[in-house]
Amino acid sequence: MGLALVGLLLLLKVLSNRYTAITVPTKIQDFITLSSSIIIEALPFVLLGIALSILVQVWLPENLLLRLLPKRPTPRRIALSFLGIFLPVCECGNIPLARGLMVKGLTVSESLTFLLAAPILNPITIITTQQAFGSDSTILIARLLGGFAIANIVGWFFAGKQKQQALLTPEFAATCKVDHRKTKHQHNKVKQSFQIFASEANVIVPALFIGGFVAGFVQVMVPRSILISLGGDPIWSIFAMMMLAFIVSICANVDAFFALAFANTFTTGSLVSFLVFGPIVDIKMISLMRTTYTKRVIRTVILVTFLVSACLGLVVNYAF
């Protein structure tokens, strides 16, 4: 139904451009364009994330991933921070993958460490950031340090919580209690894979569509001229770019080129804040996280990400 709706919106836009008799208000056209572009950009990564989640849950040998990770909590979370290097999926696809890792045996705090670090500490994001800002290594280094710091601060904070299951939504907590490996379909991995795909898609894809439509609506209603007018101030530019990152909800794999368009009008620190804050906290990502984590967890993630991103931006603006 969601795909059919996007198709209908795209058809309406094409017809409005082709036939002048069909007039659609500019704001509605912008809403259609922005919402559909966010969904079309993110959907392949969501499907890839579900596929990788199935690979982890069904096809990997029993407890292989858990055996390869360090046993001590802190080194274990550090190792999970770099797991995105081997699983280069953007933030949208990492939600179903994090869910699969929890079903496989990771704690909630460990899944959060992976989820928050992976969009930034992965080869595609590193390469695109380097290509966009090759002349200024400060932006790339600050982005990597920021992503690593946020992931491990959040992971450390929730690692001390005794009741890890209480950090999950009741629906997903019930899923984690089911041992998929001992079901009667154990011998038929193909059938089990399709069952997990259907279950994950029913949860994740609707959240993606809701987040995409909300992000498109907010972009249409909030004038960018207000944000751009703050670009030269070393403090307000940081908050403006973080607000822009929250609104546009662009994929981490390509957001560096989007930020590059503001390089001449915004401070370097504000660009760093945009590139650290956006992959973790935006409208689309919050909508997806609500399928798995409680509101308390999401509020903590937003607060830590905001503080670290803002501090990084201020340090870059005043020290470099």
Side-chain angles (χ1 to χ4, degrees):
M1 290 177 64
L3 290 173
L5 180 58
V6 171
L8 181 62
L9 292 174
L10 291 174
L11 178 62
L12 179 61
K13 181 166 179 62
V14 170
L15 291 176
S16 66
N17 291 335
R18 182 171 299 181
Y19 303 104
T20 55
I22 302 176
T23 58
V24 178
T26 303
K27 285 197 172 184
I28 295 180
Q29 290 191 46
D30 292 342
F31 168 75
I32 294 171
T33 301
L34 293 169
S35 299
S36 59
S37 64
I38 290 171
I39 294 168
I40 291 170
E41 178 187 54
L43 188 58
F45 290 102
V46 169
L47 297 178
L48 177 59
I50 295 174
L52 290 173
S53 175
I54 293 170
L55 176 66
V56 169
Q57 293 185 60
V58 180
W59 297 95
L60 281 184
E62 182 79 10
N63 294 326
L64 174 63
L65 181 62
L66 298 180
R67 290 200 304 268
L68 293 175
L69 290 171
K71 302 299 181 186
R72 295 174 60 189
T74 301
R76 190 182 182 93
R77 290 194 298 272
I78 292 174
L80 285 167
S81 303
F82 296 102
L83 187 59
I85 294 175
F86 307 101
L87 301 169
V89 181
C90 83
E91 63 270 23
C92 312
N94 282 322
I95 290 287
L97 184 51
R99 290 164 64 95
L101 290 171
M102 280 187 281
V103 171
K104 200 69 174 178
L106 290 189
T107 64
V108 177
S109 62
E110 291 168 350
S111 77
L112 282 167
T113 303
F114 162 76
L115 176 66
L116 304 184
I120 296 176
L121 299 176
N122 81 65
I124 298 177
T125 302
I126 293 171
I127 291 170
T128 55
T129 306
Q130 176 62 30
Q131 289 295 314
F133 300 100
S135 59
D136 191 352
S137 60
T138 302
I139 292 179
L140 175 61
I141 294 172
R143 185 179 201 187
L144 297 178
L145 290 176
F148 179 83
I150 291 169
N152 283 275
I153 290 171
V154 172
W156 166 80
F157 179 80
F158 286 111
K161 307 301 178 184
Q162 303 246 342
K163 297 181 179 180
Q164 293 276 299
Q165 295 295 309
L167 304 174
L168 300 173
T169 60
E171 295 80 9
F172 183 64
T175 302
C176 290
K177 293 178 181 178
V178 178
D179 191 347
H180 296 288
R181 298 162 296 182
K182 295 181 180 180
T183 64
K184 62 182 180 180
H185 301 300
Q186 183 179 4
H187 63 284
N188 192 343
K189 291 187 176 182
V190 174
K191 183 175 181 180
Q192 188 179 347
S193 298
F194 277 110
Q195 289 176 335
I196 295 175
F197 182 88
S199 174
E200 290 293 287
N202 283 337
V203 174
I204 300 297
V205 174
L208 171 63
F209 278 94
I210 293 171
F213 288 133
V214 172
F217 177 78
V218 174
Q219 286 190 64
V220 170
M221 300 307 295
V222 177
R224 291 194 185 183
S225 58
I226 296 176
L227 298 174
I228 294 175
S229 66
L230 304 172
D233 188 273
I235 296 176
W236 286 110
S237 62
I238 292 172
F239 298 122
M241 284 302 284
M242 285 197 291
M243 177 62 71
L244 184 63
F246 178 77
I247 292 171
V248 297
S249 302
I250 195 169
C251 176
N253 292 340
V254 295
D255 62 355
F257 294 106
F258 180 89
L260 183 62
F262 297 89
N264 294 326
T265 53
F266 277 77
T267 62
T268 302
S270 68
L271 299 178
V272 170
S273 298
F274 174 92
L275 295 171
V276 174
F277 188 77
I280 300 174
V281 178
D282 61 30
I283 295 174
K284 163 176 53 63
M285 189 65 173
I286 290 175
S287 178
L288 291 171
M289 288 184 68
R290 288 190 64 184
T291 64
T292 306
Y293 303 101
T294 62
K295 293 179 181 179
R296 178 192 171 199
V297 172
I298 296 173
R299 284 196 298 266
T300 302
V301 170
I302 293 172
L303 178 61
V304 172
T305 306
F306 175 84
L307 292 175
V308 173
S309 301
C311 288
L312 265 177
L314 291 171
V315 169
V316 171
N317 275 346
Y318 286 103
F320 295 94

